[in-house]
Amino acid sequence: MAEPVKNQAEILEKLNISALNPMQEEALHIIPNTANTILLSPTGTGKTLAFALPLIQSLDPDCDDIQALILVPSRELAIQIEQVIRSMGSGYKVNAVYGGRAMSKDKIELKHAPAILVGTPGRVDDHFSNERFSKEAIKTLVLDEFDKSLEVGFEYEMRGIIKDLTALNKRVLTSATQGVEIPDFVGLKNPTVIDYLHTKVSKLAIKLVISPDKSKLTTLLELLKHLGSQQGIIFCNLKDSIQTVSDFLNKHRITHGCFNGGMEQKDRERALIKFRNGTYQLLIATDLAARGIDVPEMEFIIHYELPLHKEEFIHRNGRTARVSAKGTAYVLKWKDQLLPEFIDATDVADTSNKSTIKPTYWETLFISGGRKDKISKGDIAGLFFKQGKLKKDQLGIIELKQDCAFVSIPASLAEGLVSELNNSRLKKKKVRVYVV
């Protein structure tokens, strides 16, 4: 392993962050000096960095076993945290394990134990039960979005995992929601609470859009025409509703992605990749996308179906107007429909001005080689510039994974680039290139 980087200034420079926000500063002061911490802060305020910085400071570079365990409620959040910690460039190994991913991949990566393990409770419990690594050096436990983990039924697995952590001396729990009862098995005694839930100055506008009919599809289309080519998420409560909205948008030739718990993990990941890189301007999603996924700041979200609980409303809205940006949450309701008491919206949106919904500029190409093949983003960029003859402004976002990569390029050039680059060599590997 390379000499670990613990210098905060170096890490922030790698992340292109000039300064920490007040919540992160307070966490950096409290977490190292406190056995039990609860960190409460709105979605999008940088909680991962707030606990990851002190976590890295606490690691022992001479220890070859796992030293910190981060439990999360969803695969997407596990992947996101792994990416954030990797991008910090600390020199410490981090791996994410989660259901829906081949167990063989986990076993290969865990042969050389990471310093930090991120995972969903079910998959981590499986590894614990089969004793695939030593637990004796795990001194720090982070329960990120702990309220959601308890809500989605991970209590049994979490209870078993925490019972096995005999060397534990530090616990950090994070959430964007207040008032969740913490079970005794977590062992959180006299915690210090860092609470920033009510200090954020919200730049979120909540606007009503009233539909004359129950289906609301025509009204949704009118709203999307008003919004033009901005990027946003359309929230539904049910997978069937997502399918209905998706079929309707396809009929009107509006490009979009879908995201829900019933999809294969690979398809969920690819939907997010294409949303991040601009291939999709719209994502139709269940509340699974309300938190714990890595997507860019967006201008709006639409409640196509009204959330059933206040927490879902808060988390959906948290996808826009994050940190310092402005955003709008549109509440789409049938004219005779009563709003839940937690939705305080009286401002009716004026959607009379219409914009053109342009076809998306970007398309996404898949490359069948990744980090394990010693391929870097620079290697991929070189291939597209030299052999593909792309100009610099024509190469979009490159997402490099362990065994593959995704590259956004102008949609008009996709077919030609596939013909030119398929079966090319990257480093020593012959790679397939095709449109995702």
Side-chain angles (χ1 to χ4, degrees):
M1 183 178 79
E3 186 65 27
V5 175
K6 290 196 176 185
N7 184 294
Q8 182 185 311
E10 283 183 56
I11 290 173
L12 293 182
E13 190 179 338
K14 286 182 181 181
L15 295 171
N16 201 23
I17 294 172
S18 56
L20 296 175
N21 63 37
M23 177 272 290
Q24 292 166 333
E25 289 280 11
E26 188 172 337
L28 195 57
H29 173 69
I30 287 175
I31 291 173
N33 305 305
T34 309
N36 297 301
T37 309
I38 297 176
L39 176 57
L40 303 172
S41 192
T43 302
T45 50
K47 289 192 290 296
T48 301
L49 188 60
F51 67 71
L53 277 170
L55 179 61
I56 284 168
Q57 299 285 350
S58 71
L59 297 175
D60 176 3
D62 297 321
C63 178
D64 293 328
D65 292 323
I66 297 168
Q67 299 178 60
L69 175 64
I70 304 172
L71 290 179
V72 296
S74 70
R75 306 161 184 178
E76 285 72 28
L77 186 52
I79 294 164
Q80 180 186 339
I81 292 173
E82 179 189 41
Q83 288 172 343
V84 169
I85 295 176
R86 273 193 178 150
S87 64
M88 293 168 78
S90 68
Y92 287 105
K93 187 173 185 243
V94 56
N95 286 122
V97 296
Y98 44 87
R101 180 178 121 117
M103 184 63 79
S104 56
K105 284 188 177 182
D106 284 6
K107 289 177 181 176
I108 290 166
E109 289 184 354
L110 294 173
K111 272 185 181 177
H112 172 211
I116 303 168
L117 182 66
V118 190
T120 50
R123 181 55 65 98
V124 171
D125 185 48
D126 188 301
H127 289 304
F128 270 35
S129 300
N130 288 282
E131 299 185 344
R132 295 195 178 101
F133 46 73
S134 169
K135 313 174 196 95
E136 290 176 9
I138 300 176
K139 294 181 178 180
T140 302
L141 172 68
V142 179
L143 301 182
D144 196 22
E145 301 280 16
F146 69 88
D147 55 307
K148 191 67 179 173
S149 292
L150 294 171
E151 184 185 302
V152 296
F154 281 131
E155 183 171 331
Y156 176 80
E157 290 89 347
M158 289 166 74
R159 187 186 293 273
I161 291 166
I162 293 170
K163 188 179 176 183
D164 274 357
L165 299 176
T166 54
L168 207 58
N169 60 21
K170 188 179 291 292
R171 295 165 176 81
V172 180
L173 277 64
T174 85
S175 180
T177 308
Q178 204 164 30
V180 180
E181 191 174 336
I182 299 163
D184 291 340
F185 69 78
V186 176
L188 202 76
K189 294 173 184 173
N190 304 316
T192 300
V193 180
I194 304 170
D195 187 355
Y196 278 77
L197 285 178
H198 307 294
T199 57
K200 184 185 172 191
V201 178
S202 178
K203 296 185 180 180
L204 174 72
I206 299 176
K207 297 195 174 183
L208 275 177
V209 181
I210 299 169
S211 170
D213 59 81
K214 264 188 175 181
S215 87
K216 301 190 282 191
L217 287 170
T218 304
T219 305
L220 173 66
L221 181 61
E222 292 301 304
L223 175 58
L224 293 175
K225 285 178 180 176
H226 167 70
L227 294 167
S229 295
Q230 298 180 60
Q231 190 168 39
I233 299 179
I234 302 168
F235 280 105
C236 298
N237 294 336
L238 305 167
K239 290 181 284 185
D240 288 350
S241 308
I242 289 178
Q243 191 61 54
T244 300
V245 175
S246 178
D247 291 344
F248 180 78
L249 295 189
N250 281 332
K251 183 179 163 186
H252 289 273
R253 297 184 180 178
I254 296 174
T255 307
H256 62 277
C258 297
F259 185 84
N260 66 70
M263 294 166 61
E264 292 286 332
Q265 177 63 21
K266 180 182 78 170
D267 296 329
R268 276 161 55 174
E269 283 185 30
R270 291 186 177 190
L272 292 181
I273 287 165
K274 293 172 83 171
F275 189 57
R276 281 195 289 266
N277 69 26
T279 299
Y280 293 148
Q281 290 292 95
L282 295 171
L283 194 68
I284 314 168
T286 58
D287 287 309
L288 185 65
R291 54 176 165 179
I293 61 168
D294 181 19
V295 292
E297 178 66 35
M298 61 199 65
E299 290 93 340
F300 70 89
I301 63 107
I302 297 172
H303 299 278
Y304 175 76
E305 289 183 313
L306 303 184
L308 303 177
H309 305 104
K310 182 179 180 180
E311 287 74 19
E312 292 157 2
F313 187 62
I314 291 168
H315 287 297
R316 287 180 181 188
N317 292 344
R319 283 287 145 209
T320 186
R322 300 173 75 181
V323 190
S324 59
K326 295 179 181 178
T328 306
Y330 293 96
V331 177
L332 196 53
K333 78 176 220 50
W334 176 45
K335 62 181 176 62
D336 294 337
Q337 187 176 13
L338 293 175
L339 289 177
E341 60 180 22
F342 55 80
I343 300 181
D344 183 15
T346 54
D347 186 8
V348 178
D350 177 5
T351 60
S352 56
N353 293 332
K354 297 293 186 278
S355 303
T356 305
I357 303 175
K358 298 172 185 172
T360 49
Y361 176 77
W362 299 105
E363 184 56 274
T364 303
L365 298 186
F366 171 89
I367 298 175
S368 65
R371 277 192 297 266
K372 71 176 176 58
D373 306 300
K374 312 295 184 191
I375 292 168
S376 69
K377 287 185 180 181
D379 297 327
I380 293 169
L383 177 70
F384 278 80
F385 290 145
K386 291 172 189 171
Q387 197 172 321
K389 298 186 172 51
L390 278 192
K391 296 172 185 171
K392 282 198 174 179
D393 63 352
Q394 292 177 318
L395 185 65
I397 294 170
I398 299 171
E399 288 208 26
L400 186 62
K401 306 291 184 185
Q402 194 66 12
D403 53 5
C404 64
F406 299 87
V407 185
S408 58
I409 45 87
S412 59
L413 303 179
E415 204 173 302
L417 283 167
V418 169
S419 298
E420 182 62 39
L421 301 180
N422 192 31
N423 294 321
S424 298
R425 286 204 170 271
L426 265 175
K427 287 289 174 68
K428 294 179 180 179
K429 183 176 173 73
K430 192 175 185 181
V431 295
R432 290 178 294 117
V433 179
Y434 58 82
V435 175
V436 175

